[in-house]
């Protein structure tokens, strides 16, 4: 696996986490529960992608 692709995947996972934090913050400050729920779902998705990235990175480092 190309390291350029791995770093791109890591960047997208981190960007998704930051985007979800914005959604959670906006949902809390504007009293919109739906925005907070979307933010929490995106946060779970971003953390899942980051975990997958870490597994691939460890496998890539062994080769």
């Amino acid at each position: 696996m190309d390291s350029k692709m791995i770093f791109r995947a890591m960047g997208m996972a981190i960007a998704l986490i930051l985007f979800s934090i914005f959604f959670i913050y906006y949902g809390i400050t504007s009293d919109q529960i739906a925005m907070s729920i979307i933010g929490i779902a995106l946060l779970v998705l971003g953390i899942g992608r980051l975990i997958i990235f870490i597994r691939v990175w460890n496998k890539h480092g062994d080769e």
Side-chain angles (χ1 to χ4, degrees):
M1 182 169 274
D2 190 15
S3 63
K4 189 180 206 182
M5 191 162 85
I6 292 174
F7 285 125
R8 199 174 295 153
M10 180 185 69
M12 287 299 295
I14 292 172
L16 186 62
I17 290 170
L18 293 174
F19 191 65
S20 68
I21 291 171
F22 168 74
F23 263 79
I24 293 170
Y25 172 76
Y26 183 74
I28 289 172
T29 57
S30 65
D31 270 348
Q32 293 183 0
I33 296 296
M35 294 293 279
S36 295
I37 292 173
I38 291 171
I40 291 170
L42 288 175
L43 185 64
V44 169
L45 186 67
I47 290 172
R49 286 181 61 143
L50 203 57
I51 290 171
I52 291 171
F53 161 75
I54 290 170
R55 287 184 182 172
V56 169
W57 179 259
N58 287 335
K59 188 182 288 186
H60 180 69
D62 293 341
E63 293 177 358

